[in-house]
């Protein structure tokens, strides 16, 4: 095998599994160390640079980082990365002075953002900080988009939204709220140098079964109903409620229904429980509030009496898989099930709607209704029109919208400066030794079995009485410290120098997971089978070093390494060193955070 090129930014980036899995590539171990040091404002700024909405995402993120967490190599539950992000937001204090001010020098370039959701707000923050003039259009009276109007207040208080949206608008962004864009051609006629479309996926899919039209008065599209609840237009619901759908919107609907008078609220899905798109913790929260989830039931008819909804019938189904692994739901032959209901909430998915984009405006669309985009630059077929968030790729989570916003902002900035948007700046990478003495490191590297700490909740009765009462209380400072200590600091890398190694095998003897092997060279497939512990995860590269005096190689399985540093402590020659890896991706306009160590 070839020696590993640790100078490639992606190599150690991929070893920091949580940061690699995060769409915005937030420096997760960095901000967790800052929380452990009770430097909450610093931790917030590390987050703010990459994910823009730490307080919002600390409550609502879909947490792609957590399944990737290296703590899962030790025990079942990952570090509570998302809820620690909230800790940084809750305890940061006044950080107004640390926020960038509108630049005194302006570029004179004008950008319009359609929609005031997380993607557009990210674009606006990055470009405004770079001196461009940004205008956000939205039909609602307040900015925030889906964050503000579809996420219930018991999950996300409006004060948090106001604060973090305010940090963006305070950069000099012009918000033309209450102005819905009804024509792309008209917007193009206003002479903007670039347009970003971040209007989300605003249309909920409807139910198409017999009886739907006749009982329409008591059948509601989930995302529209949640918005009506948020606006205060809806303040009550029937006692018996069916929620159709297995995603996070369905969980928000059923929990909101419980708070608005629903006594028998049921979630009914066509799939199995494990196949539901809702996050596991969202399902747990619903069931904690006495909401049953009924699986493998396909809607058949809406039952009504003279236009008054009385319930629905469902066909029991089971999953079968064809030779290609595709799932098909087939009837089991059991009798249909009748579920009584006074109201039905339909949360079976969302889709894009662009009625305001004229089809002769120059924007090409795929057959599924999504725009044709350059996957790198997010440019449409009209070069100065860009898309991001749900408007670009269909419904995803807020963190994906933020990631798209950063990429689109970078593309727009490059284009406005007369450069090719494909020529993106490389990331900034630093590797710094953490050695303070022969056996002392500048970070806490003890590895122990530490079970995940549970986030406290308010009492269930109180939660169900008040739809605005936030259910999760968040970690206090003491619990936050304990949870932060579970982080294995996987951004502090084990760096090997073959020329210093005397091949004493001390590192091999002390490694708790047998991830280091000194052996003869070979092909990767063959080498993986004869390491001290076979390396089965092909997605994670091996760390290979040549140059040993015996002609052997050092091969280390990065997948199972716990970054405990015992190899570096035991090594008599310093051939192993623990080096903190920092990676900052290219971004427009955001300040560099202060270092943690």
């Amino acid at each position: 095998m070839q020696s590993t090129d640790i100078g490639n930014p992606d190599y150690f980036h991929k070893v920091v599994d949580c940061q690699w899995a995060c769409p915005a590539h937030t420096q997760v171990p960095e901000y967790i160390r800052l929380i452990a040091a009770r430097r909450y404002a610093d931790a917030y700024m590390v987050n703010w640079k990459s994910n823009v909405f730490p307080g919002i995402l600390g409550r609502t993120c879909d947490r792609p980082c957590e399944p990737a967490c290296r703590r899962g190599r030790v025990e079942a539950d990952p570090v509570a990365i998302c809820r620690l992000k909230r800790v940084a937001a809750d305890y940061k204090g006044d950080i107004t002075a640390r926020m960038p001010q509108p630049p005194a020098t302006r570029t004179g370039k004008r950008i319009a953002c359609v929609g005031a959701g997380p993607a557009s707000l990210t674009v606006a923050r990055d470009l405004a900080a770079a001196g461009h003039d940004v205008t956000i259009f939205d039909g609602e009276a307040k900015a925030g988009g889906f964050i503000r109007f579809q996420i219930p207040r018991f999950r996300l208080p409006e004060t948090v939204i106001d604060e973090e949206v305010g940090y963006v608008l305070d950069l000099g962004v012009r918000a033309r709220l209450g102005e819905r864009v009804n024509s792309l051609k008209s917007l193009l006629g206003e002479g903007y140098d670039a347009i970003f479309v971040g209007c989300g996926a605003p249309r909920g899919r409807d139910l198409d079964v017999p009886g739907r039209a006749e009982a329409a008065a008591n059948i509601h599209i989930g995302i529209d109903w949640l918005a009506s609840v948020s606006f205060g237009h809806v303040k009550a619901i029937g006692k018996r409620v069916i929620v159709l759908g297995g995603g996070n919107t369905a969980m928000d609907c059923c929990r909101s229904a419980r708070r608005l008078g629903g006594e028998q609220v049921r979630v009914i899905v066509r799939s199995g429980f494990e196949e539901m798109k809702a996050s596991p913790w969202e399902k747990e929260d619903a069931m904690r509030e006495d909401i049953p989830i009924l699986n493998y039931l396909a809607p058949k008819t809406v039952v009504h009496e003279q236009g008054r909804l009385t319930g629905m019938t469902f066909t029991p189904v089971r999953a079968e898989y064809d030779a290609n692994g595709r799932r098909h739901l087939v009837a089991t032959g059991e009798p249909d099930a009748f579920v009584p209901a006074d109201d039905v909430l339909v949360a079976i998915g969302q889709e894009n709607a662009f009625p305001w984009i004229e089809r002769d405006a120059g924007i090409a669309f795929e057959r599924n209704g999504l725009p044709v985009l350059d996957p790198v630059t997010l440019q449409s077929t009209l070069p100065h029109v860009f898309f991001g968030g749900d408007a670009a790729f269909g419904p995803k989570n807020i963190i994906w919208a933020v990631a798209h916003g950063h990429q689109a902002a970078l593309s727009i900035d490059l284009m406005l400066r007369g450069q090719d948007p494909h020529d993106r700046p490389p990331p900034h990478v630093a590797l710094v030794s953490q050695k303070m003495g022969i056996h002392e490191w500048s970070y806490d590297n003890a590895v122990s079995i530490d079970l995940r700490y549970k986030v406290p909740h308010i009492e269930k009765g109180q939660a169900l009485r008040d739809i605005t009462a936030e259910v999760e209380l968040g970690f206090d400072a003491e619990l936050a410290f304990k949870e932060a200590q579970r982080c294995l600091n996987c951004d502090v890398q084990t760096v090997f120098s073959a020329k210093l190694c005397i091949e004493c095998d001390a590192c091999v003897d002390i490694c708790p997971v047998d991830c280091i092997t000194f052996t003869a060279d070979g092909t990767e497939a063959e080498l993986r089978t004869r390491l001290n512990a076979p390396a089965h995860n092909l997605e994670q590269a091996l760390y290979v070093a040549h140059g040993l005096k015996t002609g052997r190689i050092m091969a280390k399985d990065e997948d199972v390494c716990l970054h405990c540093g015992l190899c570096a402590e035991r090594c008599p020659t310093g051939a192993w060193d623990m080096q903190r890896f920092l990676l900052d991706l290219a971004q427009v306009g955001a300040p560099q955070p202060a270092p943690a160590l």
Side-chain angles (χ1 to χ4, degrees):
M1 294 185 65
Q2 297 293 316
S3 291
T4 299
D5 178 13
I6 64 172
N8 180 345
D10 276 353
Y11 178 73
F12 280 139
H13 184 194
K14 197 170 183 178
V15 175
V16 190
D17 300 79
C18 48
Q19 184 175 4
W20 179 262
C22 174
H25 301 299
T26 304
Q27 295 175 357
V28 174
E30 178 80 353
Y31 81 72
I32 290 178
R33 277 193 298 273
L34 287 165
I35 289 170
R38 293 177 168 78
R39 292 169 56 183
Y40 305 115
D42 288 337
Y44 186 88
M45 295 308 297
V46 169
N47 271 282
W48 185 81
K49 177 181 181 296
S50 58
N51 62 48
V52 185
F53 308 108
I56 293 169
L57 284 164
R59 292 164 167 84
T60 63
C61 189
D62 209 31
R63 315 180 196 179
C65 53
E66 292 191 13
C69 176
R70 197 165 287 266
R71 172 57 72 168
R73 276 73 155 175
V74 181
E75 59 211 21
D77 292 325
V79 175
I81 297 170
C82 179
R83 293 320 186 239
L84 286 173
K85 192 189 314 292
R86 172 180 170 174
V87 169
D90 287 353
Y91 289 88
K92 68 185 182 306
D94 185 1
I95 48 131
T96 307
R98 300 186 62 165
M99 288 292 166
Q101 299 299 309
T105 303
R106 314 299 297 180
T107 66
K109 300 295 184 180
R110 299 170 60 241
I111 300 96
C113 293
V114 181
S120 289
L121 289 168
T122 301
V123 169
R125 190 205 72 168
D126 288 3
L127 293 179
H132 301 308
D133 294 321
V134 183
T135 301
I136 294 179
F137 294 83
D138 198 279
E140 305 299 344
K142 290 185 176 182
F146 187 93
I147 292 173
R148 187 180 294 276
F149 299 113
Q150 269 83 32
I151 298 178
R153 296 289 77 85
F154 58 80
R155 288 182 57 206
L156 177 60
E158 192 161 20
T159 53
V160 178
I161 304 172
D162 290 340
E163 177 189 357
E164 297 194 327
V165 170
Y167 292 144
V168 176
L169 300 183
D170 288 346
L171 285 167
V173 175
R174 185 184 181 196
R176 290 172 61 175
L177 302 175
E179 292 189 42
R180 190 176 302 279
V181 175
N182 294 313
S183 166
L184 177 61
K185 286 185 175 181
S186 296
L187 190 61
L188 290 169
E190 294 189 29
Y192 288 99
D193 298 289
I195 293 173
F196 175 78
V197 179
C199 56
R203 185 166 62 195
R205 292 197 177 111
D206 204 347
L207 183 65
D208 184 18
V209 297
R212 163 66 175 97
E214 291 82 351
N218 293 95
I219 299 178
H220 320 280
I221 302 300
I223 61 169
D224 297 337
W225 183 80
L226 286 171
S228 295
V229 172
S230 178
F231 284 122
H233 303 325
V234 171
K235 298 181 180 179
I237 199 168
K239 292 183 178 180
R240 302 173 301 173
V241 181
I242 293 173
V243 178
L244 300 176
N248 288 337
T249 298
M251 300 302 103
D252 287 341
C253 284
C254 69
R255 297 179 69 196
S256 296
R258 282 284 281 130
R259 288 159 170 78
L260 294 181
E263 296 176 0
Q264 297 179 13
V265 180
R266 299 176 176 89
V267 176
I268 302 179
V269 294
R270 293 157 49 96
S271 67
F273 183 83
E274 297 299 329
E275 296 170 310
M276 291 171 61
K277 292 183 179 179
S279 305
W281 50 91
E282 300 287 0
K283 294 186 284 187
E284 291 170 8
D285 286 344
M287 291 186 293
R288 187 184 295 118
E289 294 174 359
D290 306 319
I291 301 170
I293 298 175
L294 311 180
N295 301 99
Y296 288 124
L297 292 172
K300 184 177 182 180
T301 61
V302 173
V303 182
H304 57 92
E305 294 177 0
Q306 299 179 339
R308 183 178 66 85
L309 175 74
T310 59
M312 289 187 65
T313 59
F314 296 86
T315 300
V317 296
R318 66 172 182 271
E320 292 186 354
Y321 297 86
D322 61 22
N324 296 318
R326 290 191 295 265
R327 189 191 68 164
H328 301 276
L329 295 176
V330 298
T332 63
E334 300 170 80
D336 291 342
F338 174 75
V339 179
D342 302 307
D343 285 285
V344 173
L345 301 176
V346 182
I348 55 177
Q350 293 163 234
E351 55 193 9
N352 294 75
F354 301 105
W356 56 278
I357 298 181
E358 297 87 351
R359 288 309 184 256
D360 61 350
I363 306 290
F365 289 89
E366 305 277 6
R367 293 179 61 183
N368 60 6
L370 294 173
V372 176
L373 300 177
D374 183 305
V376 174
T377 67
L378 301 183
Q379 278 178 301
S380 71
T381 49
L382 204 57
H384 65 296
V385 177
F386 300 76
F387 286 71
D390 294 355
F393 301 107
K396 289 183 179 289
N397 190 258
I398 298 168
I399 192 64
W400 281 101
V402 171
H404 297 157
H406 286 315
Q407 292 306 306
L410 184 57
S411 298
I412 292 169
D413 183 67
L414 290 168
M415 182 193 72
L416 296 181
R417 297 180 187 279
Q419 301 173 36
D420 185 346
H422 289 92
D423 294 338
R424 308 174 92 72
H428 173 73
V429 177
L431 273 169
V432 182
S433 177
Q434 300 305 293
K435 185 171 288 187
M436 297 176 67
I438 296 177
H439 301 302
E440 186 179 0
W441 304 96
S442 62
Y443 72 104
D444 187 348
N445 64 338
V447 176
S448 61
I449 300 297
D450 291 315
L451 298 180
R452 178 169 168 143
Y453 291 88
K454 293 186 180 298
V455 178
H457 288 62
I458 65 171
E459 187 268 326
K460 183 170 67 175
Q462 179 186 353
L464 295 179
R465 285 192 299 270
D466 183 0
I467 197 168
T468 65
E470 188 173 13
V471 174
E472 288 192 11
L473 298 175
F475 288 129
D476 61 20
E478 183 175 349
L479 277 178
F481 174 79
K482 292 178 179 178
E483 185 62 30
Q485 289 295 93
R486 297 180 69 236
C487 177
L488 295 175
N489 296 284
C490 60
D491 63 335
V492 181
Q493 307 291 348
T494 52
V495 177
F496 180 73
S497 173
K499 66 182 181 181
L500 296 178
C501 179
I502 58 174
E503 301 182 62
C504 65
D505 281 357
C507 56
V508 176
D509 293 340
I510 201 170
C511 178
V513 290
D514 295 326
C515 69
I516 301 171
T517 305
F518 290 88
T519 186
D521 199 359
T523 64
E524 179 176 354
E526 185 268 337
L527 181 61
R528 282 179 176 271
T529 65
R530 56 182 172 85
L531 301 181
N532 287 336
H536 297 301
N537 182 6
L538 303 182
E539 294 296 315
Q540 187 69 271
L542 296 176
Y543 185 179
V544 174
H546 291 80
L548 296 169
K549 296 177 178 63
T550 63
R552 298 188 300 170
I553 64 167
M554 185 286 298
K556 175 171 169 287
D557 182 4
E558 296 283 23
D559 184 54
V560 297
C561 176
L562 298 178
H563 297 237
C564 62
L566 290 175
C567 54
E569 289 185 12
R570 185 71 176 270
C571 181
T573 64
W576 287 103
D577 190 19
M578 304 304 294
Q579 298 188 9
R580 173 168 161 255
F581 170 78
L582 279 177
L583 178 137
D584 277 316
L585 298 180
Q587 196 180 102
V588 182
Q592 297 294 317
L597 300 171

